[in-house]
Amino acid sequence: MIRLFTFFVFVSAISVCYLAKLSWLEYLLSLFPLLPFIYLVRLYARRKLQLQFAKKTFHFIEEEIHRLTGEFKKLKTREIWEYLIPVRNHPLSIDLDLCTKQGFLGVFDITITESGFHNYLYRFLQEPNGLVGEPKPNLGLVEQILKQRNYPFQLMRKFLVLDGEPNEKFALPQVNQSSSFWEKRNWLRWIFPIWGVFSPIYMTVGLLFDLPLIPFLFLINGLLFLNYRKESLLYWKEIKALSTASVRFQKTFLFLSKNRKTTKSMLTNISKLGDSAELLVSPLPHLLLNLIFLWDLWKIQSLIKWKLKFSEDWNRMQNQIIGMDSILPFVNFGYIHPEANFPNLSNQKSLKADSLVHPMLPETNRVFNPLPEMKPGDLMIVTGSNMSGKTTYLRSIAMSLLLAGSGAPVLGKNFEQLDFQIHTLIRSQDSMEDGVSFFYSEVRRLSSIIQNADGSKKIPILFLDEILKGTNSKERFIATREILSVLREKNCIVFLTTHDLKLADIPWAKRFHFTELELDGKMDFDYKIRSGVSTSTNALKILKKEGIPIRSEAE
């Protein structure tokens, strides 16, 4: 309302001056109401951005509460098909449900850059991201950030993008320091500053005093424009990309910058240069500006000067932002789980923990279980009745290893790890197209794991759930026994769940089991791991409970 009032006062003052035919001094005085109007417009724009940022922060806190309480269905996560093919088809993604709607990769993804998202996925999967000269990730950085009291939340807040949709990723380009534009037109590089000033001055004076050669100047400038137009459009594309990124990531740049003055100047200069790119939307003004001023050449020159001054600063900060962005999900995981602890590297080259739990289980459903000490060549066989927690236990260990390998804390106590390479065979898939059965699919996966173990500098850790289900019990036992023997020779650590109690007789195996409890004639599970081999079964009870008639032996 105040803005409207000040503008009304300005229009009224100008109207009075015009109708009363007052002097230029009165006209000048009538401009004073514009000053508070301009101030209020700028204040409104600033407040609008603050309000948008507050709303974005509020939405972010709502999502954090959903993550904390385990209400993952309320989060807008990605569909499986939205992930990269190598990621969604990765054995770890399939076996550990990483890419499902409520999988870890989607639930804790708060990355905003395309490269940061890419690096986050491959970092968690313990795979190289395929980039040339890929730096080794700093596994201690997450811990350093989480040790600072309020810094993690402020960091994640500065990475919020106002114009972003859920799960949308944005490009943060690197500045290409080399430029061949003037190398191809070295003669034009020295002539255009003089010609670009002379040409508009002569045209202006020529129009006033009816001087000749104006059409000739238009022709020369037009030919020059045709000469550089195709390449200049590429420079305009680069200007637009850098300018958009500077505006979108302004808060991030400034928050991480050690020299805010230089960073602010860098962002302001490229942002102003990018404002000029809006004229490319209208071809006619763009053409006229080049016919008169050689406008594109001035802007390309400005971009090159900007690169000479700021390219090193931009690229350094771009790498820092992408690197920080790629670990934000792990920072976020540690921030909303302050009870989580960072693992230690074992001096004995062993794997163990006093307690562990699956990180995607809601707090009310968590049951912590110990991880007995496992050394290279060790085998743990886990038996137990259906639904008692065998597979979840394996996945808890595997997920804890992936978190530890990514530099994140784990939900558990006194977790000790060694230099490992994780492999899982929990959920096999057949293929009608390739004519591959479940059994053959498992065999190929096992063969690949065994072959990779030969040249690996890391200790392979395998998680096998009811392997070789697609063959008869006799051959399954023989094959499984021989496979486990080969894996032992290759110093692999193996976790195996099975219903085949005969496998538990393997002499070097460590035996553990889960079981069900009987309460008032109903099955109940405490999901606690116990030593030894399971002696209980519940398959027939489950079938009867679901209404399937099962006759007794006498019947």
Side-chain angles (χ1 to χ4, degrees), residues 126-142:
Q126 311 293 302
E127 296 284 354
N129 62 17
L131 299 177
V132 178
E134 172 196 358
K136 188 176 181 180
N138 181 1
L139 297 181
L141 186 57
V142 176

Side-chain angles (χ1 to χ4, degrees), residues 284-317:
L284 185 58
H286 183 220
L287 174 63
L288 290 175
L289 286 170
N290 279 279
L291 291 178
I292 299 172
F293 299 101
L294 300 178
W295 191 61
D296 281 12
L297 297 181
W298 290 107
K299 297 303 177 181
I300 291 172
Q301 183 75 342
S302 298
L303 175 63
I304 293 173
K305 288 181 179 179
W306 182 87
K307 285 184 177 182
L308 289 173
K309 187 175 181 179
F310 295 114
S311 61
E312 289 185 5
D313 294 326
W314 177 281
N315 288 340
R316 184 181 65 255
M317 292 213 66

Side-chain angles (χ1 to χ4, degrees), residues 357-388:
V357 73
H358 198 291
M360 301 308 292
L361 287 174
E363 189 172 358
T364 53
N365 297 339
R366 290 176 189 166
V367 176
F368 287 82
N369 279 301
L371 171 60
E373 185 176 27
M374 300 287 290
K375 293 185 176 181
D378 282 353
L379 164 67
M380 179 192 288
I381 293 181
V382 184
T383 56
S385 51
N386 294 290
M387 305 187 301
S388 57

Side-chain angles (χ1 to χ4, degrees), residues 34 60 159-160 207 271 285 329 341 357 391 396 399 423 427 437 442 446 469 476 479 506:
L34 270 182
F60 173 67
F159 272 76
L160 298 178
L207 290 173
S271 177
N341 298 290
V357 73
T391 305
S396 299
M399 287 294 292
H423 302 278
R427 183 180 291 141
S437 66
E442 284 186 306
L446 285 167
K469 295 183 287 289
R476 179 171 64 247
I506 293 177

Side-chain angles (χ1 to χ4, degrees), residues 141 145 151 154-156 158-159 172 249-260 263 316-325 328:
L141 186 57
I145 292 172
Y151 185 77
Q154 293 300 329
L155 175 66
M156 292 184 288
K158 295 302 180 184
F159 272 76
L172 180 56
F249 300 106
Q250 181 184 20
K251 287 183 178 293
T252 315
F253 269 102
L254 293 174
F255 184 73
L256 296 178
S257 174
K258 294 181 179 179
N259 189 338
R260 289 175 63 90
T263 303
R316 184 181 65 255
M317 292 213 66
Q318 184 249 14
N319 288 329
Q320 184 182 359
I321 290 172
I322 289 175
M324 196 69 74
D325 187 41
L328 278 184

Side-chain angles (χ1 to χ4, degrees), residues 10 24 34 75 106 120 122 127 163 278 336 342 448 538:
F10 164 69
W24 63 270
L34 270 182
L75 296 169
Y120 155 61
Y122 282 89
E127 296 284 354
D163 59 348
E278 299 299 328
I336 65 175
F342 284 91
S448 174
N538 63 5

